[in-house]
Amino acid sequence: MKNKPMWLFLLCCGVPLILAYTALSFNWLPQSATNSGKFVDEEVTISDWQQTPGVLWTIALNAPVHCQASCERQLNDLSNIHTALGKNQRRVNLAVFGREFKVGNVVSYPNQQNLEPGNLYLIDHRGLVVLEYQPSLDVQENRMRHKGMLKDLKKLLNYARSS
């Protein structure tokens, strides 16, 4: 009778460990993430980043002068994305790299050579570039990527509120 609890204890500890080892060795775990954007591989920090009180994130567009069609399309969508944030608009800024842009609350910064032209980026309040969103030629696919960016941004804002 005394051995029964010991075997039961070993069985309850051993079976989950064996299952976990098997799942890891055969790559049965999902490879996807919950974010829609692509994490920036290397650490990119904007050197002259202006920190605005109460603003946690910035949506930035890298739009150098030689970037024409895709950048113009993204510039037009940038204000719509900010409007779609609703009550979170005051916690998110807009920025453009590489062009002077004097519309609303968009802040202009010098060109960033280490960022892809035409892409949208999510940047934290310290100037660290976190997520990247590549544009698409298809309007519907581009709209879905913007919805994914809004979803990611709302999650990040909720995490910041809870901490």
Side-chain angles (χ1 to χ4, degrees), residues 78-130:
L78 199 58
S79 62
N80 293 337
I81 292 169
H82 193 255
T83 304
L85 284 169
K87 66 180 182 178
N88 291 321
Q89 285 180 3
R90 58 182 169 70
R91 299 171 65 194
V92 178
N93 269 351
L94 300 176
V96 175
F97 297 125
R99 287 190 191 179
E100 284 296 319
F101 197 70
K102 302 282 186 191
V103 173
N105 57 349
V106 179
V107 180
S108 295
Y109 285 95
N111 192 14
Q112 299 295 318
Q113 298 294 335
N114 47 358
L115 299 178
E116 285 291 319
N119 288 358
L120 288 172
Y121 294 93
L122 280 183
I123 303 172
D124 74 352
H125 63 281
R126 289 180 235 112
L128 179 66
V129 180
V130 179

Side-chain angles (χ1 to χ4, degrees), residues 3-18:
N3 281 343
K4 190 173 184 177
M6 182 60 117
W7 284 106
L8 186 60
F9 174 75
L10 290 175
L11 184 69
C12 288
C13 291
V15 170
L17 288 174
I18 292 170

Side-chain angles (χ1 to χ4, degrees), residues 50-70:
Q50 298 170 356
Q51 198 171 7
T52 308
V55 174
L56 300 174
W57 291 94
T58 300
I59 304 170
L61 171 65
N62 190 23
V65 178
H66 65 274
C67 179
Q68 295 299 325
S70 66

Side-chain angles (χ1 to χ4, degrees), residues 12 26 35 37 40 59 63 69 72 92 94-95 106 138 144 155 158:
C12 288
F26 288 113
N35 56 307
V40 177
I59 304 170
E72 290 300 324
V92 178
L94 300 176
V106 179
D138 183 30
M144 293 308 292
K155 279 183 191 177
N158 282 336

